[in-house]
Amino acid sequence: QQQQQRQLPPSCTYLLAATQGLAAATRFDIVVALLRAEMMAHKPESAALFTALEQAAAADVDCESGCLRLLVQSRDGVAAARAYEAGATVLTMGEWSEEMARAV
């Protein structure tokens, strides 16, 4: 299966680098919101993009301002449990405020 995982296209790599550079230059966080993220696992191209986004957000974990933040919505409870074990902040539907839903 790892042989099937694809590299990101240069345009995606550039866009990700530009986003990180913009966040650092402006000192404002940039949030990338992924809805129904569990669907990204079905195609190697989307899985590679998701992995790159996770790695970029993890690299900024100690950042105080001008960071790339990743907001992931998923219906996959197992993935949520794994993310929680890996140190991610996980909110359940009951903790998700109406204002947050509108913002996304």
Side-chain angles (χ1 to χ4, degrees), residues 61-81:
V61 76
D62 292 328
C63 179
E64 292 188 21
S65 66
C67 309
L68 177 66
R69 304 289 183 196
L70 190 57
L71 177 62
V72 179
Q73 181 274 329
S74 176
R75 294 195 244 181
D76 186 347
V78 174

Side-chain angles (χ1 to χ4, degrees), residues 90-98 100:
V90 176
L91 299 176
T92 63
M93 191 168 71
E95 297 170 309
W96 186 263
S97 71
E98 194 172 321
M100 289 173 72

Side-chain angles (χ1 to χ4, degrees), residues 28-40:
F28 285 103
D29 291 349
I30 294 181
V31 179
V32 176
L34 300 173
L35 305 178
R36 298 283 314 267
E38 71 274 5
M39 301 302 290
M40 294 185 82

Side-chain angles (χ1 to χ4, degrees), residues 1 4 7 9-12 14 17 20 38-39 43 48 50-51 57-58 60 68 72 75 89-90 98 100-101 103:
Q1 184 176 5
Q4 290 181 349
Q7 296 287 334
S11 58
C12 288
Y14 172 78
Q20 289 176 298
E38 71 274 5
M39 301 302 290
K43 291 184 179 178
F50 186 73
T51 299
D60 282 350
L68 177 66
V72 179
R75 294 195 244 181
T89 302
V90 176
E98 194 172 321
M100 289 173 72

